[in-house]
Amino acid sequence: AKRVQADAGAIVLLGDSITQGWTTVGSTMPGFKFANRGISGDTTRGVLIRLEEDVLALKPRGVVLLIGTNDLEEGAAPETIAGNLRLLLAALKQHNPQMPVILCQVFPSSETKKRPAERIKRINRLYFEAVRNEPQVTLLDTWTLFADDRGDAKLEEFPDLLHPNGRGYAKWASALRPVLE
């Protein structure tokens, strides 16, 4: 709340601890003004609750959205997660139908983190269905970017099989930069 004026007009990074942990985004991608609105443990439902105050109040230039992995850990069905995503996108569109939205696919993780590859792939298919006719939304294939041959996160980029390290964030930035430009 204290940063609303300072972050006005920024590209808002919206999500959970993966987003929150990207503390180097500004130096990784100079030339863009970012407002990081990632909160550890957040879910699609949580983002819906805080959307007005944390995002729309900033009158963002654009939104980069990565959300859904914690919903899985809490036991939510992929269809519920995708339904919440549709509500989020509708609210963003109602706020500003010209504002670009980049939806990142849910990153791979691991069965050991209660985030099995098949469920994440199901969410990502549902996300694709939700945005395929939405010209305002660009879907970024972050699944293929990070998944190993079993569909899990790679230890060299996700040491805890959930959160990227510097190498993982740099790879995400390389994929995101051309879309932002």
Side-chain angles (χ1 to χ4, degrees), residues 16-159:
D16 52 37
S17 59
I18 295 169
T19 302
Q20 182 181 11
W22 198 359
T23 58
T24 61
V25 66
S27 61
T28 306
M29 292 192 287
F32 297 101
K33 178 182 177 182
F34 291 101
N36 191 323
R37 293 299 188 265
I39 294 180
S40 181
D42 212 352
T43 61
T44 54
R45 184 179 66 252
V47 170
L48 274 167
I49 291 167
R50 67 185 178 94
L51 189 65
E52 179 65 43
E53 186 176 321
D54 280 358
V55 179
L56 303 182
L58 303 178
K59 297 185 179 24
R61 179 174 171 209
V63 173
V64 177
L65 178 61
L66 173 65
I67 196 70
T69 193
N70 292 326
D71 296 67
L72 272 181
E73 196 271 334
E74 289 184 354
E79 291 74 17
T80 301
I81 298 165
N84 287 341
L85 172 75
R86 288 178 188 273
L87 293 172
L88 282 165
L89 295 175
L92 291 169
K93 186 175 192 171
Q94 182 178 353
H95 173 74
N96 180 349
Q98 279 72 48
M99 179 182 60
V101 176
I102 300 169
L103 174 63
C104 298
Q105 289 181 323
V106 176
F107 290 3
S109 183
S110 169
E111 176 92 38
T112 63
K113 297 289 185 182
K114 299 182 183 176
R115 294 163 173 91
E118 286 308 313
R119 290 184 56 90
I120 295 173
K121 288 194 290 191
R122 175 77 179 137
I123 293 167
N124 287 335
R125 283 191 298 273
L126 292 169
Y127 278 12
F128 171 77
E129 290 297 318
V131 303
R132 71 177 169 165
N133 295 317
E134 291 291 337
Q136 181 179 5
V137 182
T138 300
L139 184 67
L140 185 61
D141 182 4
T142 46
W143 169 264
T144 304
L145 182 68
F146 290 120
D148 68 13
D149 58 353
R150 293 179 325 277
D152 289 334
K154 300 171 190 167
L155 277 172
E156 62 270 15
E157 295 168 346
F158 294 78

